[in-house]
Amino acid sequence: MQTHKQLTIGLFGFGVVGEGLYKVLQQTPSLNATIKKVCIKNAKKTRNAPAALFTTDKNKLLLDPEINVIVEVIDDADAAFSIVTTAMQNEKSVVSASKKMIAEHFAELLIMQRATRQSFLYEAAAGASIPIIRNLEEYYDNDLLHSMRAIVNGSTNFILTKMFSENLDYGQALLLARQLGYAESDPTLDVEGFDAANKWTFLLTHGYGIITKTSGLVFTGIQNISIRDAAIAKEKGYEIKLVAQAKKLSDGKVAAFVLPQFVQHDDHLSFVKNEYNGVVIESGFSDKQFFYGKGAGSFPTASAILSDLSALRYDYKYEYKKLYHHTPHELSDDFYVRVYVSFDDFKHVPLEHFKYISELHKGSERKFAVGILSFKELKENNWWKEHHVSLIVLPDGILEESDINILEPTVLAEIQTMEL
Ligand code: HSE
């Protein structure tokens, strides 16, 4: 087995993360890692590094036999996939932060890792500074992971914090998230939940051995959350967070989605503000554990890449233990979600599809209902994210059939006969 003593790096991308890594490596001489070349798209931009370091020719990196590690931190998913696969075929280890690329090409990347036996590490791609992937892979190497709940998108958490604690408006908060280098170059990826869902796909693999495309997950972002929702959350003693969740159900299958959630003040996730991320794991004997750290930004993301580079020195590879060494779990559609839904007009919300409704407010402006929906309803229909309908999961919002049967009768009958 080859051990990389000296890491000679070819770096793709010199944006927020690439430049962060360049600076961090300068301050970490003990790692014995040097960047030999940086491939960039736009040669004309001025950059804070010697001009001789840069090239626009990817082959200067991919075909250089001296370069034994490719670090790829670009945001074009297709180009990133081509770089990563070529690098592995050319017998180079790869460190990547491209969550979209990893989510879109996960199955192919698994095959590529097995075929080339190269390390492909991506701790920076989810939770940035939080070492969640390696922990899921190594520490929770058993069948006892009851649930994972996480804030995995720094920009939306930053925007929610600024809007609801500091009264900034949405536009200002988003602008600030972009200026600080937290948001994607296409910020709809953050705001509409794609980025969090992309990250959740491979965290589900490392946690449960589940392989899913992002399109196979039920998700949305914070785009429809209104000031009225925030006021109601406050009234009820909640905060609103965009939460990625996974919970093992009684049949052994896993309920998973990424949706806004009302979070109680004693929930660890309510502690997660601004660009920070957090992951709460519940497992068999240890009960709850909470991982917390900066989830976006230059140095926090570079810190995870640095840790991957360090791991390459002892030839570390993900083993995908839950996938290859255990029986992988399956995703389930067979559960219910307790939700709050706010909307402008009754015609946009099929209240008759609710299993139960416990609260209905018919105010002249924003209306809302609190009740229970089957997860299949969310999976098969889009009404809950169209026409400014805002859906927010309640605390402990995942229910099974057995939980439903013990609920009190509700106002559903009244609603069914009501003229809407
Ligand atoms: N746009 C991402 C976020 C960057 O806000 O979390 C880190 O992956």
Side-chain angles (χ1 to χ4, degrees), residues 17 97 99 124-128 152-158 177 181-187 189-190 195-196 199 275-277 295-297 301:
V17 180
K99 47 279 164 97
V152 285
N153 182 269
S155 304
T156 45
N157 202 55
F158 180 86
Y182 305 150
E184 299 300 300
S185 31
D186 171 6
L189 291 172
D190 297 298
D195 182 72
K199 291 164 176 168
E275 79 275 25
Y276 279 83
N277 282 188
T301 312

Side-chain angles (χ1 to χ4, degrees), residues 89-105:
Q89 280 161 339
N90 292 356
E91 298 182 0
K92 300 181 193 310
S93 306
V94 176
V95 176
S96 169
S98 295
K99 47 279 164 97
K100 186 165 181 278
M101 181 275 289
I102 297 167
E104 278 173 5
H105 294 284

Side-chain angles (χ1 to χ4, degrees), residues 86-124:
T86 310
M88 283 197 272
Q89 280 161 339
N90 292 356
E91 298 182 0
K92 300 181 193 310
S93 306
V94 176
V95 176
S96 169
S98 295
K99 47 279 164 97
K100 186 165 181 278
M101 181 275 289
I102 297 167
E104 278 173 5
H105 294 284
F106 200 82
E108 295 142 282
L109 289 166
L110 282 177
I111 294 168
M112 184 61 63
Q113 286 168 82
R114 291 204 124 182
T116 63
R117 294 168 186 244
Q118 292 299 320
S119 297
F120 174 56
L121 305 181
Y122 42 86
E123 189 63 72

Side-chain angles (χ1 to χ4, degrees), residues 176-401:
L176 209 51
R178 297 187 79 172
Q179 284 168 344
L180 290 165
Y182 305 150
E184 299 300 300
S185 31
D186 171 6
T188 53
L189 291 172
D190 297 298
V191 170
E192 296 185 9
F194 291 96
D195 182 72
N198 283 338
K199 291 164 176 168
W200 207 230
T201 61
F202 50 90
L203 290 178
L204 285 170
T205 312
H206 290 284
Y208 291 104
I210 289 167
I211 304 272
T212 177
K213 290 265 183 199
T214 306
S215 56
L217 283 181
V218 164
F219 72 92
T220 192
I222 61 167
Q223 68 274 34
N224 290 340
I225 294 175
S226 67
I227 294 291
R228 176 97 173 102
D229 298 336
I232 286 167
K234 221 173 214 168
E235 240 172 65
K236 292 178 184 279
Y238 299 143
E239 284 180 60
I240 304 172
K241 300 282 187 192
L242 182 60
V243 182
Q245 319 208 17
K247 184 179 178 191
K248 215 177 333 164
L249 301 173
S250 47
D251 63 1
K253 290 189 180 176
V254 173
F257 51 81
V258 180
L259 294 169
Q261 185 171 30
F262 285 138
V263 165
Q264 281 162 317
H265 291 305
D266 61 355
D267 186 324
H268 291 87
L269 293 184
S270 86
F271 182 72
V272 181
K273 309 278 190 216
N274 291 312
E275 79 275 25
Y276 279 83
N277 282 188
V279 186
V280 180
I281 282 177
E282 274 195 72
S283 63
F285 300 116
S286 54
D287 209 332
K288 272 190 191 162
Q289 288 162 305
F290 178 44
F291 297 79
Y292 170 77
K294 286 196 172 168
S298 180
F299 285 176
T301 312
S303 78
I305 296 175
L306 197 68
S307 175
D308 280 349
L309 287 172
S310 176
L312 287 180
R313 294 161 77 206
Y314 53 90
D315 208 22
Y316 178 75
K317 294 180 178 62
Y318 300 135
E319 283 182 63
Y320 300 96
K321 294 193 178 80
K322 319 290 169 56
L323 183 63
Y324 296 138
H325 303 176
H326 298 279
T327 310
H329 288 85
E330 279 174 53
L331 284 178
S332 173
D333 290 347
D334 198 12
F335 63 99
Y336 295 86
V337 205
R338 199 197 299 262
V339 294
Y340 155 101
V341 179
S342 77
F343 46 97
D344 296 328
D345 195 316
F346 276 102
K347 71 178 181 223
H348 297 139
V349 177
L351 289 174
E352 67 282 5
H353 290 196
F354 278 67
K355 179 95 176 163
Y356 287 100
I357 292 180
S358 56
E359 237 182 289
L360 185 66
H361 288 254
K362 300 178 255 177
S364 56
E365 286 171 24
R366 198 78 179 161
K367 304 153 193 14
F368 76 86
V370 176
I372 293 170
L373 281 168
S374 76
F375 185 73
K376 284 195 192 92
E377 174 71 23
L378 298 184
K379 189 145 194 190
E380 288 163 11
N381 300 288
N382 278 335
W383 60 260
W384 55 274
K385 44 184 169 179
E386 288 169 349
H387 303 110
H388 304 290
V389 172
S390 163
L391 178 138
I392 302 177
V393 176
L394 267 73
D396 297 320
I398 298 176
L399 302 173
E400 296 196 56
E401 190 76 48

